[in-house]
Amino acid sequence: GLAWTQVGGEILFIESTLLPGTGKLSMTGQLGAVMKESATLAFTWLKAHGTEYGIPNDAFKLWDVHIHIPAGAIPKDGPSAGIILLTSLASLYTQKLVKPNLAMTGEITLRGKVLPVGGIQEKLLAAKRAGITSLILCQDNQKDVSDIKEDYLNGLSISYVADMRQVLSLALRNQPIHKAKK
Protein backbone atom coordinates (compact mmCIF):
# COMPACT_ATOMS: atom_id res chain seq x y z
CA GLY A 1 0.00 0.00 0.00
CA LEU A 2 1.04 3.61 -0.50
CA ALA A 3 0.51 6.22 2.18
CA TRP A 4 0.99 9.95 2.55
CA THR A 5 2.57 11.39 5.71
CA GLN A 6 3.64 14.89 6.71
CA VAL A 7 7.23 13.94 5.85
CA GLY A 8 6.44 12.38 2.45
CA GLY A 9 5.17 9.14 1.00
CA GLU A 10 5.59 5.75 2.62
CA ILE A 11 5.02 2.12 1.82
CA LEU A 12 2.51 0.22 3.96
CA PHE A 13 2.84 -3.52 4.25
CA ILE A 14 -0.37 -5.45 4.74
CA GLU A 15 -0.21 -8.81 6.49
CA SER A 16 -3.29 -10.99 6.55
CA THR A 17 -4.20 -14.53 7.44
CA LEU A 18 -7.18 -16.87 7.52
CA LEU A 19 -7.88 -19.02 10.53
CA PRO A 20 -10.74 -21.37 11.32
CA GLY A 21 -13.61 -19.48 12.92
CA THR A 22 -16.99 -17.91 12.30
CA GLY A 23 -16.31 -15.15 9.74
CA LYS A 24 -14.95 -12.45 12.05
CA LEU A 25 -12.71 -9.64 10.75
CA SER A 26 -9.95 -8.45 13.13
CA MET A 27 -7.48 -5.64 12.51
CA THR A 28 -4.35 -4.54 14.34
CA GLY A 29 -1.60 -1.98 13.83
CA GLN A 30 -2.92 1.22 15.47
CA LEU A 31 -5.48 1.90 12.77
CA GLY A 32 -7.86 4.84 12.71
CA ALA A 33 -11.61 4.68 12.18
CA VAL A 34 -11.48 5.53 8.46
CA MET A 35 -8.97 2.76 7.71
CA LYS A 36 -11.08 0.27 9.67
CA GLU A 37 -14.12 1.38 7.66
CA SER A 38 -12.18 0.72 4.45
CA ALA A 39 -11.41 -2.83 5.61
CA THR A 40 -15.06 -3.42 6.49
CA LEU A 41 -16.14 -2.06 3.09
CA ALA A 42 -13.65 -4.33 1.30
CA PHE A 43 -14.77 -7.36 3.33
CA THR A 44 -18.47 -6.67 2.71
CA TRP A 45 -17.98 -6.09 -1.01
CA LEU A 46 -15.94 -9.28 -1.38
CA LYS A 47 -18.61 -11.27 0.48
CA ALA A 48 -21.29 -9.86 -1.84
CA HIS A 49 -19.28 -10.66 -4.98
CA GLY A 50 -17.27 -13.67 -3.84
CA THR A 51 -18.92 -16.15 -6.19
CA GLU A 52 -17.54 -14.11 -9.14
CA TYR A 53 -14.08 -15.09 -7.86
CA GLY A 54 -14.86 -18.73 -7.10
CA ILE A 55 -15.25 -18.16 -3.37
CA PRO A 56 -17.94 -20.39 -1.87
CA ASN A 57 -20.43 -18.48 0.31
CA ASP A 58 -19.70 -20.68 3.32
CA ALA A 59 -16.01 -19.65 3.24
CA PHE A 60 -16.99 -16.37 4.89
CA LYS A 61 -18.66 -18.30 7.71
CA LEU A 62 -15.89 -20.84 8.23
CA TRP A 63 -12.84 -18.58 8.30
CA ASP A 64 -11.88 -15.59 10.43
CA VAL A 65 -9.57 -12.96 8.93
CA HIS A 66 -6.85 -11.07 10.74
CA ILE A 67 -5.30 -8.06 8.99
CA HIS A 68 -2.21 -6.46 10.49
CA ILE A 69 -0.43 -3.36 9.30
CA PRO A 70 3.02 -3.37 10.95
CA ALA A 71 4.69 -0.44 12.70
CA GLY A 72 2.04 -0.65 15.40
CA ALA A 73 3.40 2.38 17.26
CA ILE A 74 2.65 4.63 14.28
CA PRO A 75 -0.99 5.74 13.86
CA LYS A 76 -2.43 5.00 10.42
CA ASP A 77 -5.66 6.36 9.01
CA GLY A 78 -7.35 7.52 5.84
CA PRO A 79 -9.28 5.93 2.99
CA SER A 80 -6.40 5.39 0.52
CA ALA A 81 -5.65 1.83 1.67
CA GLY A 82 -9.05 0.63 0.44
CA ILE A 83 -7.85 -1.15 -2.70
CA ILE A 84 -4.89 -2.81 -0.99
CA LEU A 85 -7.15 -4.08 1.79
CA LEU A 86 -9.53 -5.47 -0.85
CA THR A 87 -6.62 -7.11 -2.66
CA SER A 88 -5.30 -8.67 0.53
CA LEU A 89 -8.72 -10.12 1.40
CA ALA A 90 -9.30 -11.38 -2.13
CA SER A 91 -5.89 -13.05 -2.14
CA LEU A 92 -6.76 -14.86 1.09
CA TYR A 93 -10.18 -16.07 0.03
CA THR A 94 -9.22 -17.03 -3.53
CA GLN A 95 -5.86 -18.39 -2.35
CA LYS A 96 -4.19 -16.60 -5.27
CA LEU A 97 -0.91 -14.73 -5.05
CA VAL A 98 -0.64 -10.97 -5.49
CA LYS A 99 1.67 -9.90 -8.30
CA PRO A 100 5.19 -8.98 -7.13
CA ASN A 101 6.57 -5.43 -7.10
CA LEU A 102 3.07 -3.98 -7.07
CA ALA A 103 1.78 -1.09 -4.97
CA MET A 104 -1.56 0.68 -5.01
CA THR A 105 -3.62 3.44 -3.48
CA GLY A 106 -7.29 4.29 -3.79
CA GLU A 107 -10.46 4.72 -1.79
CA ILE A 108 -13.29 2.22 -2.29
CA THR A 109 -17.07 2.38 -2.07
CA LEU A 110 -19.66 -0.23 -1.21
CA ARG A 111 -20.82 -0.16 -4.84
CA GLY A 112 -17.35 -1.16 -6.03
CA LYS A 113 -16.05 2.18 -7.23
CA VAL A 114 -12.45 3.29 -6.78
CA LEU A 115 -12.13 6.95 -5.82
CA PRO A 116 -9.13 9.29 -6.13
CA VAL A 117 -6.85 10.06 -3.20
CA GLY A 118 -4.28 12.74 -2.40
CA GLY A 119 -0.52 12.78 -2.05
CA ILE A 120 0.08 11.03 -5.38
CA GLN A 121 3.51 12.55 -6.05
CA GLU A 122 4.79 11.62 -2.59
CA LYS A 123 3.34 8.12 -2.87
CA LEU A 124 4.92 7.53 -6.29
CA LEU A 125 8.31 8.66 -5.01
CA ALA A 126 8.00 6.27 -2.05
CA ALA A 127 7.14 3.44 -4.45
CA LYS A 128 10.13 4.22 -6.60
CA ARG A 129 12.48 4.34 -3.57
CA ALA A 130 11.16 0.93 -2.51
CA GLY A 131 11.84 -0.64 -5.92
CA ILE A 132 8.19 -0.93 -6.90
CA THR A 133 7.72 -1.24 -10.66
CA SER A 134 3.93 -1.47 -11.04
CA LEU A 135 1.23 0.75 -9.58
CA ILE A 136 -2.55 0.76 -9.52
CA LEU A 137 -4.24 4.15 -9.12
CA CYS A 138 -7.74 5.54 -9.57
CA GLN A 139 -8.31 6.81 -13.11
CA ASP A 140 -9.21 10.22 -11.65
CA ASN A 141 -5.66 10.45 -10.26
CA GLN A 142 -4.25 10.38 -13.79
CA LYS A 143 -4.31 14.18 -13.83
CA ASP A 144 -2.12 14.21 -10.70
CA VAL A 145 0.42 11.93 -12.38
CA SER A 146 0.54 14.14 -15.47
CA ASP A 147 1.80 16.98 -13.22
CA ILE A 148 4.83 14.93 -12.08
CA LYS A 149 8.21 15.28 -13.83
CA GLU A 150 8.77 12.42 -16.25
CA ASP A 151 12.14 11.60 -14.68
CA TYR A 152 10.31 10.58 -11.51
CA LEU A 153 8.08 8.22 -13.46
CA ASN A 154 10.82 6.33 -15.33
CA GLY A 155 10.64 2.63 -14.56
CA LEU A 156 7.06 2.78 -13.26
CA SER A 157 4.16 1.08 -15.00
CA ILE A 158 0.90 2.69 -13.88
CA SER A 159 -2.53 1.14 -14.41
CA TYR A 160 -5.60 3.31 -13.86
CA VAL A 161 -8.86 1.82 -12.62
CA ALA A 162 -12.43 2.92 -11.95
CA ASP A 163 -13.76 -0.10 -10.07
CA MET A 164 -12.72 -2.84 -7.73
CA ARG A 165 -13.08 -5.65 -10.28
CA GLN A 166 -10.36 -3.97 -12.36
CA VAL A 167 -8.12 -3.82 -9.29
CA LEU A 168 -8.44 -7.56 -8.66
CA SER A 169 -7.95 -8.38 -12.33
CA LEU A 170 -4.67 -6.47 -12.33
CA ALA A 171 -3.43 -7.45 -8.87
CA LEU A 172 -4.08 -11.18 -8.52
CA ARG A 173 -2.09 -13.84 -10.29
CA ASN A 174 -3.69 -17.02 -11.58
CA GLN A 175 -1.11 -18.88 -9.54
CA PRO A 176 -2.40 -20.36 -6.27
CA ILE A 177 -0.70 -19.79 -2.95
CA HIS A 178 1.70 -22.61 -2.02
CA LYS A 179 -0.09 -24.96 0.39
CA ALA A 180 -3.41 -23.19 -0.22
CA LYS A 181 -6.15 -23.56 2.39
CA LYS A 182 -9.23 -25.48 1.31
Side-chain angles (χ1 to χ4, degrees), residues 75-91:
K76 297 166 231 33
D77 204 7
S80 67
I83 63 174
I84 191 64
L85 291 164
L86 170 71
T87 300
S88 181
L89 290 167
S91 173

Side-chain angles (χ1 to χ4, degrees), residues 120-141:
I120 294 298
Q121 179 172 322
E122 293 85 355
K123 291 174 181 180
L124 293 184
L125 292 174
K128 198 156 171 131
R129 280 192 310 269
I132 300 295
T133 56
S134 297
L135 299 165
I136 299 175
L137 304 175
C138 175
Q139 70 182 11
D140 290 341
N141 281 123

Side-chain angles (χ1 to χ4, degrees), residues 7-22:
V7 294
E10 287 190 21
I11 299 292
L12 287 179
F13 293 94
I14 310 295
E15 298 176 347
S16 54
T17 191
L18 286 175
L19 52 153
T22 59

Side-chain angles (χ1 to χ4, degrees), residues 21-58:
T22 59
K24 186 175 91 175
L25 172 64
S26 300
M27 295 188 66
T28 52
Q30 197 169 347
L31 310 176
V34 176
M35 190 173 278
K36 289 178 182 176
E37 286 177 4
S38 293
T40 301
L41 278 168
F43 192 54
T44 300
W45 186 88
L46 189 61
K47 284 167 77 172
H49 299 276
T51 56
E52 294 175 37
Y53 298 95
I55 305 167
N57 286 328
D58 64 347

Side-chain angles (χ1 to χ4, degrees), residues 106-152:
E107 182 177 353
I108 58 174
T109 73
L110 196 53
R111 291 186 173 189
K113 301 283 183 212
V114 175
L115 303 177
V117 294
I120 294 298
Q121 179 172 322
E122 293 85 355
K123 291 174 181 180
L124 293 184
L125 292 174
K128 198 156 171 131
R129 280 192 310 269
I132 300 295
T133 56
S134 297
L135 299 165
I136 299 175
L137 304 175
C138 175
Q139 70 182 11
D140 290 341
N141 281 123
Q142 194 164 3
K143 65 185 181 315
D144 301 306
V145 174
S146 67
D147 293 337
I148 298 171
K149 286 184 179 181
E150 242 182 87
D151 291 350
Y152 296 138

